[in-house]
Amino acid sequence: MMDGLGADHFFNPRNVGDADEPRFTGRAASLSCGAHVRFSIQVDEAQRVSQARFRAAGCNVLIATASMLTEQVAGLTTAEAATIATEATTCAALARDALLDAIREYSNAARDDWAGDEALICTCFFVSERTIEHEINSRGLTTVAEVTRACNAGGGCGSCHQLIQEILATNDLPR
Ligand code: FES
């Protein structure tokens, strides 16, 4: 997913560490993947970022993005740096949403084209309706999240969530 520049920032991250004192630090963490990142910046009298450093534990996208951000914001005013930070999140989210949308379109098409004996529900993880029904009935599952935990169905692009929901509804028999 990363371009050459991004990969370079991953293999050779810039500005790892802590900005010199006096510094201002910020942290962010993702509960879902356990990644965390800490930024520290030093700001001069003109309100410009004179130093930006980061420490991160997480995936290559996080590390490369943090590294690129430290270079991008150096010398900018805090207002300019904040604008870049906001745009970075928005653009990353936008790109992610577009990619997920494309994967969903693929999944829908692959599901429609599927010619196997059993109806294919989750194209991402190749899970059939029969498998999902079996998991629901043998384990007494009631939510899509539980189905995902049991057999991975629904754990990718999410285009099958509605179908899983319908299977749950039709299998919601008194136990
Ligand atoms: S089809 Fe993508 S998560 Fe099920």
Side-chain angles (χ1 to χ4, degrees), residues 1 61 87-103:
M1 177 180 149
V61 176
E87 280 171 0
T89 331
T90 314
C91 293
L94 209 65
R96 179 200 61 201
D97 288 351
L99 174 62
L100 276 174
D101 215 35
I103 296 171

Side-chain angles (χ1 to χ4, degrees), residues 7 12 28 80 88 147:
N12 304 295
E80 290 164 342
V147 171

Side-chain angles (χ1 to χ4, degrees), residues 104-164:
R104 277 186 216 114
E105 188 173 314
Y106 158 78
S107 295
N108 288 334
R111 192 180 295 118
D112 289 348
D113 287 350
W114 174 245
D117 292 341
E118 303 176 33
L120 182 65
I121 300 299
C122 182
T123 319
C124 284
F125 288 98
F126 220 72
V127 189
S128 69
E129 180 168 20
R130 193 188 301 167
T131 301
I132 294 172
E133 276 179 346
H134 173 75
E135 293 294 339
I136 291 172
N137 292 316
S138 63
R139 298 176 192 239
L141 309 180
T142 56
T143 65
V144 174
E146 285 173 356
V147 171
T148 303
R149 271 199 294 278
C151 64
N152 284 335
C157 70
S159 78
C160 58
H161 283 190
Q162 182 62 36
L163 294 169
I164 296 174

Side-chain angles (χ1 to χ4, degrees), residues 74-88:
L76 300 185
T77 65
T78 51
E80 290 164 342
T83 306
I84 285 199
T86 314
E87 280 171 0

